[in-house]
């Protein structure tokens, strides 16, 4: 199965932000695909195609993983590869939240590397919520307009091993295994 480790996002104000940005930028659904709210997440490490044996090993490794819950605040809008030619539009996280998410991600990646999995890129504390369908979008004005603004907060208290199934209408993610923060 195609799998990754992720942290889910539960903040409903991101849905309103998605709609506000679509309207403010004048983008339509022919050009942009909003990420569905039930698919909002931070990718910690993409594992790729893994076997049933790998799933068991990953679950075992994650079962011993411990972390304390913490709060993050969503702030600012950005784009990859850059605002002038955006393929992805994302919401960022406050500096304290970035530090805590990055530390958690680094711990998870270190645990997964013990099983032979390597991160293809370093963790970036961003949550993708819009994707360009065809040609890149200009998100420069949007990025500037929302610079420094906050969009609510979230409690980070779970990490998931997720299965990703690619379908014609977009990806479907399901939780295979969940680790909760220690109480």
């Amino acid at each position: 199965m195609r799998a990754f480790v992720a942290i889910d996002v539960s903040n409903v104000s991101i849905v309103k932000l998605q709609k506000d940005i679509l309207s403010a930028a004048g983008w339509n659904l022919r050009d942009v695909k909003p990420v569905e709210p039930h698919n909002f997440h931070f990718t910690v490490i993409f594992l790729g195609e893994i076997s049933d044996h790998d799933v068991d090993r990953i679950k075992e490794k994650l079962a011993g993983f411990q972390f304390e819950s913490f709060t993050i605040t969503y702030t600012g809008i950005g784009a990859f590869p850059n605002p002038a030619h955006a393929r992805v539009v994302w919401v960022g996280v406050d500096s304290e939240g970035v530090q805590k998410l990055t530390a958690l991600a680094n711990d998870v990646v270190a645990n997964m590397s013990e099983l032979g999995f390597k991160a293809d890129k370093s963790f970036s504390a961003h949550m993708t919520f819009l994707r360009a369908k065809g040609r890149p979008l200009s998100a420069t004005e949007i990025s500037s307009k929302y610079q420094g603004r906050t969009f609510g907060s979230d409690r980070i208290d779970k990490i998931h091993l997720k299965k990703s199934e690619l379908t014609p209408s977009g990806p479907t993610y399901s939780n295979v295994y969940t680790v909760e923060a220690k109480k």
Side-chain angles (χ1 to χ4, degrees):
M1 83 175 161
R2 188 171 188 263
F4 61 101
V5 178
I7 300 165
D8 284 343
V9 170
S10 61
N11 185 311
V12 295
S13 65
I14 302 298
V15 176
K16 181 182 180 326
L17 175 64
Q18 224 180 19
K19 291 176 184 172
D20 289 350
I21 287 178
L22 283 169
S23 175
W27 295 333
N28 63 57
L29 298 179
R30 286 186 312 271
D31 300 323
V32 178
K33 174 156 181 25
V35 173
E36 296 172 347
H38 63 272
N39 283 342
F40 288 166
H41 68 275
F42 294 97
T43 300
V44 175
I45 182 171
F46 181 71
L47 303 171
E49 291 291 332
I50 62 173
S51 67
D52 290 343
H53 176 68
D54 288 332
V55 171
D56 292 339
R57 292 175 45 227
I58 293 165
K59 284 180 178 180
E60 187 177 312
K61 188 58 106 171
L62 288 175
F65 190 75
Q66 292 190 2
F67 69 101
E68 292 184 19
S69 65
F70 56 92
T71 300
I72 61 171
T73 300
Y74 297 101
T75 184
I77 299 297
F80 292 135
N82 63 62
H85 294 91
R87 306 293 283 147
V88 165
V89 179
W90 49 264
V91 63
V93 177
D94 67 298
S95 60
E96 185 177 337
V98 166
Q99 290 177 355
K100 290 180 178 181
L101 277 172
T102 301
L104 178 58
N106 289 342
D107 287 347
V108 170
V109 169
N111 274 269
M112 293 300 102
S113 70
E114 291 174 12
L115 298 176
F117 295 101
K118 301 290 181 220
D120 57 350
K121 54 187 169 186
S122 60
F123 177 77
S124 172
H126 73 281
M127 199 279 300
T128 298
F129 67 105
L130 294 168
R131 293 183 185 278
K133 283 187 175 177
R135 63 180 172 79
L137 307 164
S138 175
T140 305
E141 287 182 37
I142 294 300
S143 185
S144 295
K145 178 180 178 178
Y146 290 91
Q147 186 66 32
R149 291 181 50 190
T150 60
F151 314 107
S153 60
D154 238 333
R155 190 84 183 146
I156 304 302
D157 59 1
K158 293 180 182 79
I159 299 170
H160 306 281
L161 171 61
K162 290 187 170 283
K163 176 181 180 179
S164 173
E165 295 180 87
L166 301 178
T167 69
S169 59
T172 302
Y173 305 135
S174 55
N175 293 339
V176 174
Y177 188 75
T178 299
V179 176
E180 294 190 23
K182 57 184 176 181
K183 306 273 184 219

